[in-house]
Amino acid sequence: MARKRKRSLLEQVINSPAEKEESTSPKLTKYWLQRYNLFSRYDEGIEMDEEGWYSVTPEEIAVKQAERCCGKVVIDCFSGVGGNTIQFAEVCSSVIAIDIDPVKVEMAINNALVYGVDDRVDYVVGDFIHLAPSLKGDVLFLSPPWGGPMYNKVETYTLDMLQPKDGYKLFQIAQTITPNIIMFLPRNVDLAQLEELAWLSSPPLTLEIEENCVGGRIKGITAYFSCCAV
């Protein structure tokens, strides 16, 4: 039996002409119009909360990031509604998906079911920072909150603007688990700070920086850190 898709609150507002102009946040409308870039199978039952609309990694980018981790055990430290988790699960041996928000975890589970990869993911409701000492994996994926859509209003995005801890602290915590770290960051991030993370590590890490584009527009920067090729 086909699974009936629930209309999201945002979608209901957008589809209501009388309420659209007064009630719809322009920033969310913009992301809703790009919904198939976020999840190609959006119409099959994908669920997102407000933060998910502007924080989920576009699927095309998530696929490329996952391709670097084939056959590995990946820890998705701020998994949100599961955009990256799904793509990791498609090609990796297993995925540990962590988020502090139980509502987001429920949405991520639903979304993995839509893509048929839920059996390859272990979901954890909790704080990555507190859970780190008990975690084991080959690759660690860091895409912490950027501070909302306003991140692109600053000329240069610095690592101390990341949440819930600054990027330096998060990177140090990540290194206690594995040197193979992937960070997905704003397109205006300070690249010199990423280079600093690599050469200040002991031993120094290899760093590869990738510009991520969708439809010819830069959406973000992915930094691949490793002691050897991931």
Side-chain angles (χ1 to χ4, degrees):
M1 179 181 294
R3 190 168 180 268
K4 185 176 181 180
R5 186 173 74 85
K6 296 186 294 183
R7 298 168 71 211
S8 69
L9 177 60
L10 175 61
E11 191 173 356
Q12 293 175 42
V13 171
I14 288 175
N15 288 333
S16 174
E19 299 179 2
K20 178 178 178 180
E21 188 171 338
E22 295 181 1
S23 305
T24 304
S25 167
K27 66 182 181 181
L28 292 187
T29 303
K30 176 180 73 173
Y31 295 111
W32 186 83
L33 294 173
Q34 301 174 46
R35 60 197 180 280
Y36 300 114
N37 288 334
L38 304 180
F39 290 98
S40 61
R41 300 177 69 172
Y42 176 83
D43 287 338
E44 297 177 42
I46 293 297
E47 296 177 357
M48 283 190 279
D49 61 359
E50 180 175 326
E51 185 179 6
W53 280 100
Y54 58 76
S55 63
V56 69
T57 304
E59 187 168 283
E60 180 180 336
I61 297 173
V63 167
K64 292 179 180 178
Q65 292 166 338
E67 287 173 349
R68 302 289 291 266
C69 308
C70 290
K72 307 290 186 180
V73 176
V74 176
I75 304 171
D76 188 351
C77 304
F78 300 89
S79 57
V81 297
N84 281 101
T85 297
I86 288 168
Q87 300 308 322
F88 285 132
E90 293 277 10
V91 299
C92 298
S93 62
S94 64
V95 184
I96 300 169
I98 303 168
D99 202 279
I100 200 167
D101 184 348
V103 175
K104 284 185 174 61
V105 172
E106 285 298 321
M107 290 179 175
I109 293 171
N110 170 82
N111 297 340
L113 282 164
V114 170
Y115 280 77
V117 297
D118 54 296
D119 59 335
R120 281 167 261 171
V121 184
D122 291 317
Y123 293 93
V124 181
V125 177
D127 185 340
F128 160 68
I129 295 168
H130 296 151
L131 292 171
S134 64
L135 296 173
K136 293 182 180 181
D138 301 314
V139 181
L140 192 143
F141 181 73
L142 281 174
S143 182
W146 298 353
M150 299 303 291
Y151 73 86
N152 61 359
K153 301 301 182 183
V154 298
E155 183 176 352
T156 302
Y157 188 97
T158 55
L159 293 178
D160 64 307
M161 298 171 70
L162 290 172
Q163 300 173 0
K165 296 280 188 181
D166 69 82
Y168 289 100
K169 181 62 176 178
L170 288 174
F171 194 79
Q172 290 174 352
I173 294 171
Q175 284 185 293
T176 65
I177 302 169
T178 175
N180 301 317
I181 301 165
I182 301 174
M183 297 183 77
F184 184 49
L185 300 162
R187 59 181 177 268
N188 55 340
V189 69
D190 188 337
L191 298 182
Q193 290 188 329
L194 298 182
E195 294 172 353
E196 187 178 34
L197 288 179
W199 62 259
L200 284 180
S201 298
S202 182
L205 299 176
T206 298
L207 169 63
E208 179 182 342
I209 294 174
E210 176 182 83
E211 285 189 344
N212 303 120
C213 300
V214 176
R217 299 185 63 183
I218 300 175
K219 295 294 187 179
I221 295 290
T222 303
Y224 299 93
F225 298 88
S226 63
C227 59
C228 57
V230 173

